[in-house]
Amino acid sequence: MPSDTVEKILTSAEKQARTGGYNGFSFREIAKEIGIKSASIHYHFPTKADLATELTKRYTQRFEAILSEIGNNHTTLHSKLQAYANLFYEAAKEKGNMCLCGLFTAEIDILPDTVSRELKVFFQSHEKWLTAQLIEHKAAIPEGQTPQKMALQIIANMEGAMLLTKAFDSQTCFNDAIDLSAFASL
Amino acid sequence: MPSDTVEKILTSAEKQARTGGYNGFSFREIAKEIGIKSASIHYHFPTKADLATELTKRYTQRFEAILSEIGNNHTTLHSKLQAYANLFYEAAKEKGNMCLCGLFTAEIDILPDTVSRELKVFFQSHEKWLTAQLIEHKAAIPEGQTPQKMALQIIANMEGAMLLTKAFDSQTCFNDAIDLSAFASL
DNA sequence: GTCTATAATTTGATAGAC
DNA sequence: GTCTATCAAATTATAGAC
C-alpha cells in the first residue's frame, strides 16, 4: 500500500527520468516539485538505485496490466496490435515523454544492476505477450521468421517510432514509422 | 584540419556519450582518459554544448560519407539496405555502443538547442537517403504507404534493434529484430 | 596549447532534532 | 515522516602563469 508521498515521488521521478534519463532526475528536483525536502525522499528510497529500481518495476507492471487487458478486450490480432501501438503513441504524444525503459536501456551500462535486471523483465514481458498473440491468432510466419523474431521486430518498431517522434518533434511521425500492415487480415 | 588532441577528445567523448548520454560524459573523465587536464579541453571546446554539438556533427558526417559509399558500391536495394543495417549492427556488436544520435534524441529535451538541431539533421539525412534508394530501385509501395513512411519505418527498426541488443545483451538479437524481407527481390 | 588553482553549483547521502 | 544542517564528491567553467 504505497503512501501518498511515495506515489508523488514516483510520479515526479518518472516524468524527469523519461526526459533526461538516469542522470536527468535528482532527489532535490523531485523534492522541489512535490514540496518536501530531499532528505525526506531518502526515508522512502534510501538510495537513488532503490528509487530507479522501483520506478522501473512500476512502469513494467503498469504495462503488463494493460497488456492483459488488451488481450481480453480485443478480438482480432490487428486490433490488439493497434491497441498496443497506441500505448506507446499516447506516451509519445505528450511532449517530452520517451519510454522510460527505452531511455534507461540506452544507458544501461551506467545503471545499477538492480535496474538493468528490471529492464530485461520489461522487454521479455513484451516479447512473451506479443509472441503469444501471434501464435494464438495463427499469424502467418514467413520463411526465415519465427513468432519470437516477429515480436522483437514489433517492439523495435515501437521504440524506434518513439525516438523519431522526438527527433522530428511531430506526432504524426509515430504512425508513419509504424507498420502493422502484415497483420491487417487477422 | 582537426589537431591530434581534438581528435582524441572527440573519440573519448563519443565513447562515453554513447554509453551514458549527455550527462554521461564529462571534461574531467575525458581529460583523464587521454592524459591531459580538463582545462585544456576548454581551450578546444569552450563549453560542453560546443563539444556535444561537434560530436553530433562529426557522427552525422561519418554516416553520410558511408551512405554515399553504399550508394555507389552496391547494385541492388536489398544489398544496400543490408549494408545500411550492418552499419548499426557493427556499432551494436561492440559492447556499450548505442547510436549516439539515438541516445541523444531520447534525452533531446534537456540538450542545448545547437545539439537538438543537429539531431534532426542526422535523421533527415537518413530519411532522405533511404527514400531516394527506394524510389531509385522502384520498390513496390503498398496501399497506404509512401517511400517516406517506409524510410521512417526502416530507421525506427534500426534504432529499436540497437536498443533491444542492449536490453537482452545479445548480438543475435539485432538481426532477429531487423526485417528487410519486403525488399528481398530488389 | 597546456598547466595550476580555484570558483560556483549540483549531486547523493547521513546525523540528529522534532 | 519530515525537517535542518551538513558533508564529500563531482560538475562546468574561468583566470592567469608558462
Side-chain angles (χ1 to χ4, degrees):
Chain A
M1 191 63 53
S3 75
D4 197 45
T5 301
V6 166
E7 191 57 34
K8 282 182 189 168
I9 293 169
L10 290 170
T11 300
S12 173
E14 183 181 316
K15 194 180 97 184
Q16 292 172 36
R18 289 172 71 172
T19 305
Y22 188 78
N23 289 319
F25 73 100
S26 71
F27 283 76
R28 275 195 172 61
E29 198 62 36
I30 297 165
K32 195 171 139 193
E33 193 169 300
I34 66 178
I36 61 175
K37 295 297 170 182
S38 71
S40 304
I41 301 180
H42 283 282
Y43 170 80
H44 300 283
F45 303 97
T47 69
K48 188 172 182 177
D50 292 325
L51 175 50
T53 304
E54 187 55 36
L55 215 53
T56 312
K57 280 186 184 171
R58 176 174 170 258
Y59 189 80
T60 299
Q61 284 164 5
R62 227 162 56 213
F63 259 90
E64 285 174 343
I66 303 178
L67 291 191
S68 169
E69 222 177 81
I70 292 176
N72 293 332
N73 297 345
H74 291 258
T75 50
T76 70
L77 177 61
H78 192 251
S79 167
K80 285 178 180 176
L81 294 180
Q82 286 284 5
Y84 180 69
N86 200 50
L87 273 181
F88 293 89
Y89 175 66
E90 286 299 327
K93 228 174 45 176
E94 308 164 39
K95 183 185 173 288
N97 259 352
M98 178 61 191
C99 172
L100 177 75
C101 291
L103 212 178
F104 272 2
T105 296
E107 49 189 16
I108 197 169
D109 295 324
I110 63 161
L111 300 185
D113 284 349
T114 47
V115 178
S116 53
R117 267 194 290 275
E118 289 304 319
L119 292 174
K120 286 182 193 177
V121 171
F122 176 85
F123 286 109
Q124 276 167 350
S125 173
H126 283 239
E127 183 193 12
K128 191 179 166 186
W129 184 84
L130 285 166
T131 302
Q133 302 306 321
L134 291 173
I135 293 176
E136 181 188 328
H137 290 272
K138 300 181 176 26
I141 312 298
E143 169 91 13
Q145 291 277 42
T146 67
Q148 286 82 2
K149 285 186 187 179
M150 292 170 78
L152 290 178
Q153 288 155 18
I154 294 170
I155 302 172
N157 199 183
M158 297 296 148
E159 293 290 346
M162 291 195 83
L163 220 54
L164 293 184
T165 301
K166 303 209 72 164
F168 292 117
D169 196 18
S170 147
Q171 304 96 325
T172 61
C173 182
F174 182 89
N175 289 314
D176 289 348
I178 292 290
D179 179 23
L180 297 175
S181 61
F183 314 101
S185 61
L186 297 169
Chain B
M1 193 62 50
S3 74
D4 197 45
T5 300
V6 166
E7 191 58 34
K8 283 181 189 168
I9 293 170
L10 290 169
T11 300
S12 172
E14 183 181 314
K15 194 181 94 185
Q16 293 173 35
R18 288 173 70 173
T19 304
Y22 188 77
N23 288 320
F25 73 100
S26 72
F27 283 76
R28 274 198 172 56
E29 197 62 35
I30 298 165
K32 194 171 139 193
E33 193 169 300
I34 67 178
I36 61 174
K37 295 295 171 182
S38 70
S40 304
I41 302 180
H42 283 282
Y43 170 80
H44 300 283
F45 303 98
T47 70
K48 188 172 182 177
D50 292 326
L51 175 50
T53 305
E54 187 54 34
L55 216 51
T56 312
K57 279 186 184 172
R58 177 175 170 256
Y59 189 80
T60 299
Q61 284 164 6
R62 227 162 55 213
F63 259 89
E64 286 174 341
I66 303 178
L67 291 190
S68 169
E69 223 177 80
I70 292 177
N72 293 332
N73 297 345
H74 292 258
T75 50
T76 71
L77 177 61
H78 192 252
S79 166
K80 284 178 180 176
L81 294 180
Q82 286 283 7
Y84 181 68
N86 199 52
L87 272 180
F88 292 89
Y89 175 66
E90 286 298 326
K93 228 174 44 176
E94 308 163 39
K95 184 185 172 287
N97 259 352
M98 178 62 191
C99 171
L100 177 76
C101 290
L103 212 178
F104 272 2
T105 297
E107 48 189 18
I108 196 168
D109 295 324
I110 63 160
L111 300 185
D113 284 349
T114 47
V115 178
S116 53
R117 267 195 290 276
E118 287 305 318
L119 292 174
K120 286 184 193 174
V121 171
F122 176 85
F123 286 108
Q124 276 167 350
S125 173
H126 284 237
E127 184 192 13
K128 191 179 167 188
W129 184 83
L130 285 167
T131 302
Q133 302 304 322
L134 291 172
I135 293 175
E136 181 188 327
H137 290 271
K138 301 181 175 29
I141 311 299
E143 169 92 15
Q145 291 277 41
T146 65
Q148 285 82 3
K149 285 187 187 179
M150 293 170 78
L152 290 178
Q153 289 155 18
I154 293 170
I155 301 171
N157 200 184
M158 297 296 147
E159 293 290 345
M162 291 196 83
L163 221 54
L164 293 184
T165 301
K166 303 209 71 162
F168 292 117
D169 197 18
S170 145
Q171 304 95 326
T172 62
C173 182
F174 183 88
N175 289 313
D176 288 348
I178 291 290
D179 179 22
L180 297 175
S181 62
F183 314 101
S185 61
L186 299 167

